[in-house]
């Protein structure tokens, strides 16, 4: 279920509460189109468990975390920033910025669709533009699903077990690999051979 962006100039000059309402309505700011100067470090960290921190303290308000998540972007160099039309601040991300905490499956085989909900409320259907992969990002092999832009969600262990259970009930995919189809694309649920 792709979320749609408003026209690039639709939120220029809007308040954060107005941007938050857009996010609540399923419309996200066009952060990929904004190119402000880098202003420094935000003092924010997203832990591997999905908890957001600011200057050593956890951010407990879910609405505030959701707001920040809507203006998060991953840069071409792999770094993460919070970006608005007028400023860009670095954010430390220990693994992936989001966690896929829930999954729904519809259909079977090549007609299957896999939908994920993240810990910040994003809804995503895995497919050609939103890949589901098993990767080692420096701490072992884990499953990830693309959420938007260059931002991924780590698939939570219980959700991965659901995926594995579905894959065991399916016939092997291309090249005999275990995995699942979603939205017309096949996703192997095993790491690529080195």
């Amino acid at each position: 279920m792709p979320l749609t962006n408003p026209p690039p100039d639709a939120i220029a000059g809007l308040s954060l509460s107005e941007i938050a309402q857009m996010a609540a309505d399923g419309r996200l700011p066009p952060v990929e189109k904004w190119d402000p100067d880098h202003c420094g470090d935000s003092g924010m960290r997203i832990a591997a468990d999905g908890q957001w921190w600011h200057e050593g303290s956890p951010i407990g308000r879910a609405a505030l975390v959701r707001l920040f998540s809507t203006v998060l972007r991953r840069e071409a160099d792999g770094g993460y920033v919070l970006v608005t039309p007028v400023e860009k601040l670095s954010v430390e991300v220990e693994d992936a910025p989001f966690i896929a905490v829930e999954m729904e499956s519809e259909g079977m085989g090549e007609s299957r669709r896999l939908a994920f909900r993240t810990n910040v409320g994003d809804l995503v259907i895995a497919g050609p533009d939103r890949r589901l992969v098993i990767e080692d990002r420096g701490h072992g092999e884990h499953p990830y699903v693309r959420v938007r832009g260059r931002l991924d969600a780590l698939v939570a262990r219980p959700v991965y077990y659901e995926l594995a259970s579905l894959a065991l009930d399916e016939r092997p995919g291309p090249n005999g690999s275990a995995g699942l189809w979603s939205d017309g694309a096949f996703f192997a649920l095993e790491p690529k051979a080195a």
Side-chain angles (χ1 to χ4, degrees):
M1 175 178 310
L3 299 175
T4 58
N5 288 339
D9 58 351
I11 66 168
L14 295 178
S15 70
L16 286 180
S17 62
E18 290 168 320
I19 292 173
Q21 184 61 51
M22 289 174 67
D25 293 341
R27 297 182 297 150
L28 296 170
V31 296
E32 301 299 328
K33 298 184 184 303
W34 295 337
D35 193 26
D37 291 335
H38 191 270
C39 301
D41 184 40
S42 68
M44 295 180 80
R45 175 176 63 88
I46 305 172
D49 66 0
Q51 174 69 53
W52 289 56
W53 296 76
H54 182 254
E55 296 181 351
S57 297
I59 301 173
R61 292 180 52 206
L64 188 58
V65 169
R66 174 64 183 156
L67 173 63
F68 287 134
S69 78
T70 65
V71 293
L72 183 68
R73 179 175 79 195
R74 188 167 191 192
E75 302 286 74
D77 67 4
Y80 293 86
V81 294
L82 295 175
V83 63
T84 71
V86 295
E87 66 182 352
K88 182 177 3 178
L89 299 166
S90 299
V91 175
E92 177 188 348
V93 176
E94 291 180 354
D95 187 355
F98 311 126
I99 308 289
V101 296
E102 186 178 9
M103 186 266 309
E104 291 291 329
S105 174
E106 178 181 278
M108 294 187 69
E110 292 183 41
S111 64
R112 182 184 303 276
R113 295 180 82 198
L114 298 168
F116 297 88
R117 181 181 60 83
T118 72
N119 60 320
V120 295
D122 287 307
L123 301 174
V124 150
I125 294 177
D129 296 328
R130 290 163 307 282
R131 61 186 174 69
L132 175 64
V133 298
I134 306 291
E135 291 181 345
D136 185 342
R137 296 185 178 181
H139 50 41
E141 295 166 341
H142 296 283
Y144 299 89
V145 63
R146 179 61 42 101
V147 176
R148 63 179 180 269
R150 294 184 188 105
L151 300 175
D152 293 336
L154 172 67
V155 176
R157 188 174 306 218
V159 175
Y160 178 69
Y161 289 157
E162 287 182 64
L163 290 169
S165 178
L166 289 172
L168 289 173
D169 292 338
E170 293 274 326
R171 294 185 348 195
N175 301 322
S177 56
L180 292 168
W181 290 89
S182 181
D183 213 22
F186 182 79
F187 300 103
L189 293 180
E190 52 192 356
K192 293 180 181 175

